[in-house]
Amino acid sequence: MSPIIPTFSIPTERLHISYLEPGNPSHSTFLHHLWNTDEFIEAEGNIGLDTQEKIDEFITNKVQTHYKKNGFGQMLVSLKPHPGASLAESSPIGIVSLMKGEGENAYTAPDVGYTILPQENRKGYATEAAMGLIAYAKREFGVDGVFGFCAQKDQRSRRVLEKIGMEFRGERHLKFFGGAHSAVYALPGMEGLKDYGIQDD
């Protein structure tokens, strides 16, 4: 993949989807706020990224590695103040991700994820960002399958996955995530989950 370009973005109707930059204090400051809200900790737990220094190290060592290997990963979601606004004019409101794991238990298709600031929830931004990133990955990198995983009782995430156009494929214990019991969604056309590394319970 070519070097990461700070001004690159995937524009959607209301959003810009862009790369997280190591050494960019506005990015580490935003993520520190996003990942330490009460709502995020309640849903995901404390992930240990509780200082800007830890977050900048995470962006450098983890996030950038995914970009260089796959062309996508955890991406910044910014809200346009008006339809024609540039990335520089827009304000961060969340993260959208396509993550492809590694190792013997990893799945051969990436899974989509999203976290939006609590005050910006219920406005369709997670759906719009996820659809934009998936379309980009299909177009630019030939991605032909995407999973969505969430807790069975997480109705908000399930609604987003359904709005993206994913199909509910049942519940599984996911080896790659330590055996976590999860609802499994997949894009239409992904026929056999075993072909992607997901086994029946």
Side-chain angles (χ1 to χ4, degrees):
M1 180 189 166
S2 58
I4 302 302
I5 302 172
T7 56
F8 166 85
S9 80
I10 305 164
T12 67
E13 182 180 358
R14 299 178 294 171
L15 308 170
H16 281 288
I17 302 165
S18 60
Y19 293 122
L20 289 164
E21 301 170 40
N24 186 325
S26 67
H27 288 189
S28 57
T29 298
F30 172 72
L31 291 180
H32 180 262
H33 172 58
L34 179 70
W35 287 340
N36 289 281
T37 61
D38 292 340
E39 290 82 356
F40 181 86
I41 292 172
E42 181 179 353
E44 304 294 337
N46 188 331
I47 61 175
L49 297 175
D50 52 4
T51 69
Q52 289 180 229
E53 291 76 15
K54 289 180 182 178
I55 290 171
D56 197 59
E57 183 178 347
F58 175 79
I59 294 172
T60 300
N61 296 331
K62 299 291 186 180
V63 175
Q64 293 289 307
T65 298
H66 281 282
Y67 292 164
K68 291 172 183 176
K69 183 172 183 178
N70 301 311
F72 48 79
Q74 290 176 293
M75 311 284 282
L76 185 66
V77 178
S78 299
L79 179 63
K80 299 176 183 177
H82 56 83
S86 67
L87 174 60
E89 296 175 283
S90 304
S91 301
I93 61 165
I95 292 290
V96 64
S97 63
L98 273 181
M99 302 299 293
K100 195 169 184 180
E102 298 179 353
E104 61 179 352
N105 290 327
Y107 310 124
T108 58
D111 64 274
V112 65
Y114 31 80
T115 302
I116 302 294
L117 286 172
Q119 64 268 30
E120 300 294 351
N121 277 327
R122 302 184 185 278
K123 299 178 182 179
Y125 296 140
T127 302
E128 184 174 334
M131 292 179 72
L133 182 55
I134 290 171
Y136 172 76
K138 285 182 173 182
R139 182 176 67 250
E140 299 296 329
F141 300 102
V143 171
D144 60 2
V146 175
F147 285 118
F149 304 127
C150 66
Q152 308 96 297
K153 296 181 180 180
D154 188 347
Q155 294 302 318
R156 181 180 296 178
S157 289
R158 296 184 77 146
R159 283 194 297 271
V160 171
L161 294 172
E162 289 163 2
K163 288 178 181 177
I164 292 169
M166 290 187 157
E167 300 171 341
F168 177 57
R169 303 294 292 274
E171 297 176 2
R172 299 286 195 283
H173 288 91
L174 302 175
K175 287 185 178 180
F176 186 71
F177 297 102
H181 192 201
S182 174
V184 176
Y185 286 79
L187 287 180
M190 296 173 68
E191 298 301 332
L193 297 188
K194 289 183 180 179
D195 294 338
Y196 297 89
I198 293 184
Q199 303 298 319
D200 294 333
D201 283 345

